[in-house]
Every structure is written in structure tokens, then in C-alpha cells.
Amino acid sequence: MSDTHSAPGPATAPFRYEAALAADIEARWQDFWDAEGVYEAPNPTGDLAADGGADAVGRPKKYVMDMFPYPSGAGLHVGHPLGYIATDVYARFSRMTGHNVLHTLGFDAFGLPAEQYAVQTGTHPRASTEANIENMKAQLRRLGLGHDKRRSFATIDPDYYKWTQWIFLQIFNSWYDEVADKARPIATLVEQFESGERDTPAGWRPWSELDAAGRAGLLGEYRLAYASDAPVNWCPGLGTVLANEEVTAEGRSERGNFPVFKAKLRQWNMRITAYADRLLNDLDALDWPEAIKLQQRNWIGRSEGARVDFPVRTAAGGERAITVFTTRQDTLFGATYMVLAPEHELVSGDDSIVPAAWPEDTHAVWTGGHATPAEAVAEYRKQAASKSDVERQAEAKEKTGVFTGAYAVNPVSGERVPVFIADYVLMGYGTGAIMAVPAHDSRDFAFARAFELPMRCVVEPSDGRGTDPADWDDAFASYDARIVNSAGEDVSLDGLTVTEAKARITDWLTERGIGEGTVNFRLRDWLFSRQRYWGEPFPIVYDEDGVAHALPESMLPLELPEVDDYSPRTFDPDDADTSPETPLSRNEEWVNVRLDLGDGRGPRMYRRETNTMPNWAGSCWYELRYLDPHNSEKLVDPEIERYWMGPREGQPHGGVDLYVGGAEHAVLHLLYARFWSKVLYDLGHVSSAEPFHKLYNQGMIQAYVYRDSRGIAVPAAEVEERDGAFWYRGEKVTRLLGKMGKSLRNAVTPDEICAEYGADTLRLYEMAMGPLDVSRPWDTRAVVGQYRLLQRLWRNVVDENTGEVTVTDAEPGEATLRALHKAIDGVTQDMSALRFNTAIAKVTELNNHLTKAGRPVPRSVAERLVLLVAPLAPHIAEELWHRLGHTTSVVHEPFPVADPAYAQDETVTCVVQVKGKVKARLEVAPSIAEGELEALALAQDAVRAALGGADIRKVIVRAPKLVNIVPA
């Protein structure tokens, strides 16, 4: 949109603070800060320890972090640095309040955008990514961000991903010991099997009878990182599988918007489900937004219930059990049919329950119009594979399904119940099978009505309806009711409350070995394979028997090889009958390799894993690499990790002191990083069980999008506003607030604003736009307000004509002292609480007071004003600090401390109300006691007149600002 504020013209005075002078000041001090290592945070030991040893780290520490940026080729727009500026302001304030501050920034550089760019242009992903990083570094440097650059890195650096691979191997070589409630080395599990302390599970031969492949297969059932054939989200259009979190509610890929299908493929997984309880419980001690905690709790989805086995015969005449998980085992007598997920092994495996022909009593509506159960099941499974989990579970959708032709037996009543498949049951939750109690579950009720299935009321209605579900419009679900119609030969639940019935039936099931009380989680194991090139290679090789072997640490990093074609094989986006072909699989020399793994077997031929890790891998642990970035011997030095991230008072799990980033990472990144931290903690590699103690979600800077009559976005900078309407090249356009970005033609770059006003103005404007955690619209015209603040600040210290400092050594008057100390007190509180917009308002108020008071400004006030503004506008503050005669950097100067005697107003206005109406105003001391204030209020003539001699029932005193008198 056209800017009504034209760029400042030539300075009328040679030393006026304008864009050219701001640019000169900013470039000089950025060079100085870099050369002097002003932002370098000393470690307690190692190569980054400062001279003076322990004395250098004797101050309290503060670890401040931003969420990893991805170096996009498009560069930054003004929305991107919002969080980076905020953490920089807080880090600067923390240094000035006596902290040793670790603040740096790296780059999360593996992932799909660089690979897609490589496919389109033939440019190696490393080349384009490194060029993007350099561009982003230059843009961020221009903002004056105070990063310790010695600690920066990119996830694509082999020295970095060596340790990503190393962590993967720690997870691969671990299992979760439920007795110890922690991860332990896999060798301890092997010892238990070898000694006989632990028996192999049901269905497995004894350990001593297993060959190498059998033992590897058994250990895979326990490892925290394991490969398995499992249902995955296959995206033919991208040529890769996706995690559940990367699939939209419409069943399409988050990136590219391609259809996603369910397929069964062998993939690497992380057994994050082993940590479900700890991931839930440890949330309580974290200083995170409640909304983020709730999202994580819902994603983990803990529920208590029971496992129940329903006997069923297979098509071949064998006996199996359909195992269900239910949270309402008290309603077991009301189960009149069962539903399996379409992917369930009992309708797709060798031991299928699907018979050759329909049973004689099959209802026509159950068959879907198919001649045989096999045809019906196959067709329905194909339809279900094309739908997302969200689509399948939508409450409003029409219930679909098909009878398998099999009947199971209700274990409490002995009744036969038909077994269906339906897409509203998912393999990813519980056991992939449900017992349907249609009288007391809305989804089951709708399905039963659609398929003419029986219903039985087993929970006594408390809303006046009868007990015949045939007369109902919907199910009746209640936890506050009595159980009815639930008596069998061996057990009766009639008359019990829900809680009592749950306990009795669970005990009954356990005694008979056909069920038990259990806990279930919505959380699924983390799919960790990607069929891509631009990611970390797995440090895994396979022998001739297909057994996976870990590479020894001496062979790390396993570097990403060169390939001729960077793209995975992609397919028709709608062709579900396809499977992955990875770019790495085309490099035969790299894939097939002779190695000596140091396991006593000597050199042998192996086949490398040709999948790569997902783009989340590198960001699962980067907070640790910042601590000790050059360590080639250890993941992190334990003493350094303890110093920066170890548990302490108020932070029982340890972690980063402040982590700032977008709320869109509520589940994915944050949950994954917490999981990796807990594994490393269990194995003794770190002292912090949580990566991030305090989390803060910044809002989004939005921008107006202007569209023409075709709905196409037009350049926002060229739109004019006339008579309340918006025009582009003579055509009326519509305006809507939305995201900022190149594609919407409304992006404003920080370079543009820095060139016109300076980086300090941009920093101030972004912090002053509103509360940090609230989204707000960008308005280039409003930037000039913060520009003028800096110009007034400059004039209060420097003569615009001579460049000389104009301050006086005279003592300030009392009014100025009060304005100064009130500002110091308020800014200190606001900075601590990340309320930067109100801190700027208080600085502005003080600066305006000094402008109105007239020059010269007392030196003692000017210096403290400069220190107040230093975290927010560091370049101008550094320049003024040196012009005021100081030789040290303002960065490490102490933040001003308010004098309480001046920080309070000399008097405040107290409002006196009678019957809620104001009758008097009193000027009183801020420290006045409640009793004194009450007596003073009651003595006022206007108050006595308002009471008219009436008795007083109550006097409410809120010293020093309110007295409310309530007559009898």
C-alpha cells in the first residue's frame, strides 16, 4: 500500500539522526561487537571457557533460545524476526541484570524445500542451502542480534549430524525397562534373556534356541528405535511416507497437498509410546502456555479401561480372539456387534476370519451388495485406504461399513455378535477393534441404525426416556447412573454404579484370563523414515540375513553420498498401489559395502539403509550442541550441560530458561525433543530430563492482502486508499488481513525498513506493535512513530548541528527524578515479563518528559535513559553511551535500579463512593494505611451529606485508591 510518510529528505542539520547516520552507527557497532566478542558466553570448562576460569561463570546463568529457523531461499520478511528480536531484547536485559547469557542461533537445514529446489534446478541441496544461510545471516546481523557466533552451526554440517546419528544409535541400542521405569542399554535385556531371568514372550522360542536373525527379531520388539512392517501414510505424489502429524485433516500432505493413502511398508520407528506417562506427568512442572500443554495431553490421550477378548473362529476353522480396549467395560452386556478397522490382521492376514460365503441369516444391508464376504471386505478396504484418519472419524459423516461374514462371542453373555469392518475404527488407536454398545455410544448408535443392528440398554436412563432403545433418537451415555440388564450365569452388574461395575467386571475378566484392566494412549510410535535424499543417513547396515547392525562410533559421521538424481521416485498422486524408491538406493557403490564392524566377524558385505531421517531429527537435540559446539569426543561435556541446563530450584527437570517460537510446533517438534531428552537422561548422557523449561509463543505479524476481481493478489505497496475503498491501477480491490509472504505480494523485507529508518527503528516498532504473544497487522506508515522516538532521544543528548554532547552535570529536579525512577521501575518489571510494548511506552513517556523539560538534560538522567533503551535499540544506545564519555560497551553495563522513594507517585487520587457513586476525591500518600484512609473519607463533608445521617453497614477500603461506603 502506498506510504503516506515519505522517506526523510536530506538532513537539515549535519548530525541529525536519520537513515544515513543510523546506517553508519549500526554498521560500526556491529563490527565492533563481532571483533570484541561482546556476546560470547563463557562455559565453565572446555574450549569456550573464559580466562579466569570459574570466576567468569560465577554469575547466575540464563539460556535464551529461539526455535530453529529454516534458511529459505526467499529470505526474511518483517514477520520472521519478531521472535528473534524479542529474545535478543530479553537476552540483553538479562546480561545487564548480572547474568551470564547464552544466546545464539543455528540453522535447521535438512528438509524438503532444498531438495525440491535441487530437483527443479539441478543445484546441489548443500549449495542452495548454504547460500540461503549466508543471506539469512546477513539479514539477521543487520538487526543487531547479540548472538554468540562461535556456537552457531547448521544441521547439515557432518560434525553436527555425526551426533544426530550417534543419538539414533543410543536409542536403537536401548529398551524401556518398565520395572526401572527408564531406558536401559539393550545389552542388559540380552543378559536377562541369556541368564533366564526373563523368559521370551509368548509365541517365541527360548532365547537359547533362537538363531542370530531370531534374536535380532526378538530384540526389535523391545528396542526404542526399530524397523517394522506397519500401516503408514504413503504419499505417491511426494514419493515418501509421512508421519500422522504431517497429514492434513483432509487426508492430504501438508507439503504439496497430495493425496495420502494407508499402506503397509517396512519403516523405522521410535518407540515414543514407552514414554507416554512420563511425557504427560512431566508437563506439570514446565512453565509452558496451558494451551500447549493441553494440546500435548490430548495428543498423548491417556485413558484407563480394560482389555477384553472376544472368541472368534477363523475361516480355516481355527480359534482366535478379537481383543478390544474399552473405557466402558461396565457396558459389556450391551455389546451387540463388533467393528474392526479395515486394516486389521484378522481380515487381511493368513488367519483371516472372512468366510467363503455369507451365513444364511445375513441381512441384505450388511453385504454392501457384494456376492461374497471376501469381495465386500476387499472393496471396502480399498475405499478406506484413500481417507485420512480425521475424515474417517468425522462425527457428521454417514456411517459406512460391511459385515465380514464372521461372528464372535460376547464373553459375558455367550451371545453371538456379528463382526463388521468400518472406517470409523482406526488401527492407530487401541487394538484396532471395538465392542459396539449402540445404546450408549453415539457413533455406534448411528451405525446400528444404518445397518439394522440390535441395541440393548444396560445403563439406566436418568433423563426420563424409557429403556427400549428402539424409541430413542440418540444414545444415552452417562457415568452417573445404575447398571441394568447386565446379569449372566457367572456375574451380575445389575444395580451397581458405573465405577462399581467397572471394578467388578474387570476382576471377573482377569480371574478368567480373558481380559484385564489396562491403560491406553492415543499416541502412536513416531514414524522415523523418509524416502528422501536431503536428510541424515541412518548409521545402519544389513547383513545377508537382513539383520540390522549399528555402525561403530568410529565410522561416524556416515556422510550423505553424491547422487545423480536428488528426487525420490514420485507417482501419479492418486495411484495408491505404488511403493517407495529412494534416491540413495541408486548409488550402488555406497549402498553395498564391505565393512569390519568390530564385532569379531571380520570384513563382510553389508547393505546400507537407503531411507533418511525426517527433518525433525536435527532439531530434537540442538539445544545441547549450542552448549558445547566443537566437542568431537562427546555429545556434550557433562559439566557444561549441568551448568546451562541442569535441574535447579523452580526447574526440577532442568532445561532452557526461555524458548521462544510459534505455537504451530505444539506437538511435533516439542514432543519429539522431549522424548529424545528423556532417553538421553535415562542413559546418563545429560542431567536435564526436559529440553525447555519455559516456553513462550510469539504471535504473528500479519499483513493486508489485496485481491482484484479475479481473486488474484496484487502488490500491496501499490494499492491506494481513497474514500474508504482500495484501488490498484484504477481497479477497486478487496482487502483482507492474512499472512505475509511473497505469494500474497504483501511481503515487506527488514532490509527495506532498515534502509529507510535503521534497524533500531525496526526493532522498536516490532516490539511496540502490541503484546508479544498476540498477532498484529503490519503498517509501514506506523513505523515512523518509533523513528521519531529515536530522533528525540538523540536530540536529548546530541546537538544536531555540532554533534557535541549537550548534557549538564547539574542535578535533576524532583519531577525529573520521579519520572526517571518510575520509568526504571516499570521498564524493569516489563522487561522481566516480556512486556516489551509497555516498556517502550514507559521509555517514551520519560523521553517526552525530558523533551518538554527543556535542554540540557542532566547527565545522570541521560545515561540511565540510554541504559533503559539499550536492550531495545542497542546501536543508538552504544553510540550515545560512548559519546557520553564511556569506553566500555553498553552491552555489559548494569541495568538501572529504581529508587523506591522516587518510583512511587508523591500522592495518588483516592475515589470515595457512597452507594457506588463518586462523592469525593482525595489526594493521599501511596503508603497510607487502610484505617487512616477510611477515617479521612468518612470525615469529608460531601460524604457525610450523601449519607444523610444513615448508619453505615460496610466500608470497603482498597488503599490507596478506593473507599466504598455502603449505608445500612
Side-chain angles (χ1 to χ4, degrees):
M1 185 169 174
S2 61
D3 184 3
T4 57
H5 165 72
S6 58
T12 55
F15 294 95
R16 186 179 182 191
Y17 183 82
E18 290 193 338
L21 181 57
D24 173 68
I25 289 170
E26 289 164 4
R28 276 192 291 108
W29 288 115
Q30 287 163 15
D31 290 342
F32 172 84
W33 293 330
D34 284 351
E36 297 297 318
V38 168
Y39 303 114
E40 293 178 357
N43 276 345
T45 188
D47 68 314
L48 300 186
D51 295 337
D55 293 341
V57 292
R59 292 169 287 163
K61 65 91 185 180
K62 189 77 74 173
Y63 187 4
V64 181
M65 259 183 75
D66 300 281
M67 286 189 183
F68 239 177
Y70 185 84
S72 165
L76 300 176
H77 60 63
V78 291
H80 292 125
L82 177 67
Y84 306 148
I85 295 171
T87 54
D88 187 63
V89 172
Y90 183 75
R92 290 175 179 277
F93 171 73
S94 298
R95 285 189 197 95
M96 296 178 75
T97 52
H99 294 82
N100 182 23
V101 178
L102 194 167
H103 186 218
T104 190
L105 194 71
F107 299 91
D108 190 12
F110 275 126
L112 195 54
E115 186 176 282
Q116 289 178 326
Y117 184 76
V119 171
Q120 294 164 9
T121 65
T123 307
H124 194 287
R126 179 174 290 280
S128 60
T129 301
E130 289 178 345
N132 294 343
I133 289 173
E134 289 308 309
N135 180 53
M136 190 170 178
K137 281 181 176 178
Q139 287 187 293
L140 293 173
R141 185 181 190 270
R142 193 170 183 181
L143 298 175
L145 302 178
H147 295 145
D148 185 344
K149 296 181 180 179
R150 305 168 304 166
R151 299 174 183 266
S152 185
F153 54 79
T155 54
I156 59 175
D157 300 338
D159 286 346
Y160 181 82
Y161 71 71
K162 163 187 175 177
W163 294 105
T164 307
Q165 292 170 337
W166 182 87
I167 295 172
F168 173 83
L169 291 180
Q170 306 313 300
I171 300 173
F172 173 71
N173 285 319
S174 301
W175 65 294
Y176 201 85
D177 185 340
E178 294 184 356
V179 175
D181 199 22
K182 61 184 288 188
R184 298 179 65 197
I186 199 74
T188 60
L189 179 62
V190 173
E191 289 171 6
Q192 291 182 15
F193 283 134
E194 288 179 340
S195 67
E197 177 186 345
R198 177 185 292 266
D199 293 329
T200 56
W204 287 85
R205 299 200 309 274
W207 178 263
S208 61
E209 297 178 13
L210 294 173
D211 59 13
R215 290 179 177 181
L218 175 58
L219 294 179
E221 299 291 314
Y222 292 85
R223 291 184 188 273
L224 290 179
Y226 64 96
S228 70
D229 292 314
V232 296
N233 301 305
W234 165 236
C235 181
L238 289 176
T240 189
V241 298
L242 301 172
N244 287 340
E245 299 88 343
E246 296 171 309
V247 181
T248 68
E250 292 74 34
R252 305 180 76 86
S253 61
E254 196 171 49
R255 182 172 291 278
N257 197 37
F258 292 111
V260 176
F261 304 93
K262 286 295 183 185
K264 207 163 191 178
L265 298 170
R266 190 158 187 82
Q267 303 288 305
W268 282 97
N269 297 271
M270 292 276 180
R271 208 179 299 275
I272 191 173
T273 50
Y275 282 84
D277 270 322
R278 285 170 61 184
L279 288 168
L280 268 178
N281 296 337
D282 289 353
L283 281 171
D284 294 339
L286 299 182
D287 185 5
W288 286 19
E290 283 304 318
I292 300 296
K293 289 185 178 183
L294 180 62
Q295 285 185 66
Q296 290 222 346
R297 290 188 180 108
N298 289 342
W299 191 263
I300 296 166
R302 186 182 192 277
S303 53
E304 295 186 15
R307 176 185 60 77
V308 186
D309 292 337
F310 284 68
V312 65
R313 295 192 69 80
T314 67
E319 292 187 1
R320 290 289 300 272
I322 299 176
T323 300
V324 303
F325 169 81
T326 176
T327 59
R328 290 302 303 267
Q329 60 268 40
D330 54 299
T331 64
L332 195 48
F333 280 92
T336 57
Y337 66 97
M338 302 189 75
V339 184
L340 307 182
E343 303 84 2
H344 200 285
E345 63 173 359
L346 289 180
V347 293
S348 62
D350 295 335
D351 218 8
S352 171
I353 62 172
V354 180
W358 294 115
E360 288 185 8
D361 56 352
T362 300
H363 289 274
V365 72
W366 295 4
T367 68
H370 294 281
T372 67
E375 289 179 16
V377 168
E379 180 61 27
Y380 190 82
R381 279 164 49 82
K382 186 175 180 181
Q383 293 174 21
S386 66
K387 299 179 182 178
S388 72
D389 289 355
V390 175
E391 280 183 295
R392 286 169 57 169
Q393 291 203 300
E395 291 292 339
K397 82 175 190 73
E398 180 184 351
K399 294 295 179 284
T400 63
V402 69
F403 179 41
T404 65
Y407 285 86
V409 177
N410 187 322
V412 292
S413 66
E415 295 177 349
R416 288 198 325 157
V417 291
V419 181
F420 286 74
I421 58 170
D423 61 9
Y424 77 94
V425 177
L426 306 177
M427 278 306 299
Y429 182 76
T431 64
I434 67 164
M435 64 174 210
V437 184
H440 306 295
D441 180 275
S442 293
R443 289 188 308 169
D444 295 345
F445 186 95
F447 190 90
R449 279 284 164 88
F451 288 89
E452 301 174 10
L453 288 157
M455 304 187 197
R456 181 179 297 113
C457 174
V458 294
V459 180
E460 187 173 36
S462 55
D463 58 1
R465 70 174 81 185
T467 57
D468 185 356
D471 300 327
W472 299 355
D473 295 325
D474 195 4
F476 171 76
S478 174
Y479 284 88
D480 185 21
R482 297 279 173 179
I483 303 300
V484 295
N485 301 325
S486 296
E489 291 184 11
D490 298 329
V491 64
S492 174
L493 307 180
D494 287 348
L496 299 180
T497 64
V498 169
T499 302
E500 292 168 341
K502 281 186 175 185
R504 179 172 294 183
I505 197 65
T506 301
D507 289 343
W508 185 88
L509 292 167
T510 304
E511 289 168 4
R512 282 153 182 77
I514 55 174
E516 62 181 347
T518 188
V519 174
N520 198 49
F521 294 92
R522 178 178 179 268
L523 180 68
R524 298 295 90 197
D525 281 345
W526 173 17
L527 177 66
F528 202 68
S529 294
R530 294 296 182 275
Q531 290 68 49
R532 309 222 63 90
Y533 170 71
W534 195 232
E536 298 91 341
F538 282 92
I540 293 290
V541 292
Y542 299 91
D543 63 21
E544 64 275 11
D545 296 319
V547 174
H549 296 269
L551 289 182
E553 188 176 330
S554 61
M555 291 186 183
L556 302 182
L558 172 60
E559 296 198 31
L560 199 60
E562 297 298 321
V563 296
D564 295 327
D565 182 359
Y566 305 119
S567 59
R569 184 182 177 192
T570 57
F571 303 89
D572 180 335
D574 296 309
D575 187 355
D577 297 324
T578 50
S579 58
E581 179 187 299
T582 66
L584 292 183
S585 66
R586 302 182 196 126
N587 188 327
E588 291 287 338
E589 291 184 4
W590 183 83
V591 173
N592 298 301
V593 61
R594 179 175 291 276
L595 298 173
D596 185 347
L597 300 182
D599 54 5
R601 302 203 307 169
R604 300 168 68 95
M605 288 300 297
Y606 294 95
R607 178 177 54 83
R608 295 193 191 277
E609 172 63 69
T610 59
N611 287 306
T612 53
M613 297 186 198
N615 59 303
W616 307 104
S619 60
C620 276
W621 72 281
Y622 70 123
E623 72 283 353
L624 296 172
R625 191 62 175 173
Y626 284 151
L627 306 182
D628 197 10
H630 311 131
N631 196 331
S632 60
E633 304 300 319
K634 292 181 179 177
L635 178 74
V636 60
D637 183 285
E639 184 179 350
I640 294 172
E641 188 273 335
R642 256 192 321 273
Y643 172 78
W644 288 111
M645 290 185 62
R648 60 203 67 219
E649 186 177 353
Q651 299 182 17
H653 303 306
V656 172
D657 297 292
L658 176 65
Y659 191 41
V660 174
E664 66 270 18
H665 295 295
V667 172
L668 285 163
H669 158 60
L670 290 172
L671 201 60
Y672 298 159
R674 294 182 64 214
F675 165 54
W676 278 36
S677 284
K678 291 185 184 305
V679 177
L680 291 171
Y681 172 77
D682 286 355
L683 298 177
H685 298 300
V686 298
S687 66
S688 48
E690 286 283 344
F692 315 115
H693 171 70
K694 181 177 177 64
L695 174 68
Y696 192 97
N697 297 131
Q698 88 272 15
M700 181 188 297
I701 289 183
Q702 299 170 304
Y704 287 110
V705 183
Y706 299 88
R707 297 186 185 275
D708 61 19
S709 57
R710 300 167 298 168
I712 296 175
V714 301
E718 299 177 29
V719 173
E720 297 179 350
E721 182 177 356
R722 297 197 307 267
D723 303 324
F726 304 97
W727 302 83
Y728 172 70
R729 296 183 179 178
E731 180 188 353
K732 194 173 183 180
V733 294
T734 60
R735 183 179 81 165
L736 188 67
L737 195 60
K739 287 185 176 182
M740 183 179 286
K742 263 192 170 181
S743 63
L744 297 173
R745 310 191 75 178
N746 63 354
V748 179
T749 70
D751 301 28
E752 295 172 54
I753 304 301
C754 288
E756 190 167 355
Y757 300 102
D760 281 338
T761 295
L762 174 63
R763 290 171 60 105
L764 277 177
Y765 176 63
E766 293 214 3
M767 294 299 95
M769 290 172 76
L772 182 60
D773 58 349
V774 174
S775 293
R776 72 293 303 269
W778 176 268
D779 183 358
T780 299
R781 295 171 302 178
V783 176
V784 70
Q786 300 309 314
Y787 183 60
R788 289 172 179 155
L789 166 61
L790 294 180
Q791 289 181 318
R792 287 192 294 270
L793 169 66
W794 180 264
R795 283 196 298 269
N796 278 331
V797 179
V798 176
D799 186 294
E800 291 184 333
N801 293 303
T802 67
E804 298 297 319
V805 171
T806 60
V807 299
T808 175
D809 290 329
E811 291 299 314
E814 184 161 323
T816 295
L817 280 173
R818 290 195 178 279
L820 171 66
H821 287 281
K822 281 181 65 179
I824 293 172
D825 182 54
V827 170
T828 301
Q829 293 182 46
D830 288 343
M831 289 282 198
S832 299
L834 308 180
R835 295 191 299 263
F836 303 129
N837 60 319
T838 53
I840 291 170
K842 292 176 175 68
V843 168
T844 304
E845 188 177 348
L846 172 61
N847 197 49
N848 289 345
H849 169 87
L850 298 177
T851 301
K852 291 175 184 175
R855 288 186 290 272
V857 174
R859 172 180 290 276
S860 62
V861 178
E863 290 187 343
R864 282 181 275 190
L865 173 59
V866 168
L867 293 173
L868 280 182
V869 84
L872 295 154
H875 306 93
I876 193 173
E878 190 78 86
E879 179 74 11
L880 292 175
W881 187 248
H882 282 261
R883 284 179 179 256
L884 285 164
H886 299 281
T887 57
T888 56
S889 172
V890 74
V891 170
H892 292 288
E893 287 297 316
F895 202 73
V897 177
D899 183 339
Y902 290 108
Q904 289 187 333
D905 290 324
E906 197 168 6
T907 63
V908 296
T909 301
C910 175
V911 173
V912 184
Q913 296 178 334
V914 178
K915 294 184 183 178
K917 295 183 178 179
V918 177
K919 296 300 178 183
R921 287 183 170 84
L922 310 174
E923 293 299 316
V924 298
S927 58
I928 190 169
E930 288 189 357
E932 182 182 353
L933 185 58
E934 179 180 339
L936 194 61
L938 292 173
Q940 301 302 304
D941 291 341
V943 171
R944 289 202 302 270
L947 288 170
D951 291 336
I952 297 172
R953 181 162 63 88
K954 184 193 297 184
V955 179
I956 302 166
V957 181
R958 298 286 183 267
K961 294 188 175 182
L962 175 69
V963 177
N964 188 14
I965 302 165
V966 183

